[in-house]
Structure formats: structure tokens, C-alpha cells
Amino acid sequence: MEIPEPLIDLERAAETERAKLAGLEGEEHAAQQRVWRAAAAVFQQAVTAHAAETGVDRHTLEQAVKHAVRYSD
């Protein structure tokens, strides 16, 4: 499956925000969690839109993008 680069970029951005949660506590953690969830929501919306436009299974697309981001290099 060919994965569009914009989806990879969005998932990388969400993962970057998630990683920033490490070591945070209290309000700092809560604030960063909101940032991460917002970035993840943007990714999810983009996956849903791309799947609808192309007829690709949404779940399969999401998993392919996540695999590409986590296991690249």
C-alpha cells in the first residue's frame, strides 16, 4: 500500500507530542496531553478522509501509517 507522505507527517507530529509527556506531572502533563490528543485527532481525521476518498480500508491505512512511522529507518 502506498502511504501518502502527509499522513506520515501527521502521525510523526502526533508521536512527537506524545513523547513529550514523559516526565511531566500535574497540569503540565494535562496540558501536553491535550496537545497530543489534538494532534492525534488531526491525524485520525486525515486518515478517515483519505480512506473515504480512495476506498481503502480505514483501519488498514491507519495501521500501515503507524507501522511506517514507528519502524522506519
Side-chain angles (χ1 to χ4, degrees), residues 3-33:
I3 302 169
E5 196 64 34
L7 293 181
I8 290 174
D9 293 342
L10 290 172
E11 175 60 7
R12 280 189 182 132
E15 281 298 299
T16 296
E17 296 305 333
R18 184 192 59 76
K20 292 177 184 177
L21 288 166
L24 298 179
E25 296 179 2
E27 181 50 40
E28 285 183 322
H29 185 274
Q32 183 57 38
Q33 191 170 45

Side-chain angles (χ1 to χ4, degrees), residues 34-45:
R34 287 189 294 273
V35 172
W36 167 48
R37 287 182 176 168
V42 170
F43 167 69
Q44 292 294 327
Q45 291 168 349

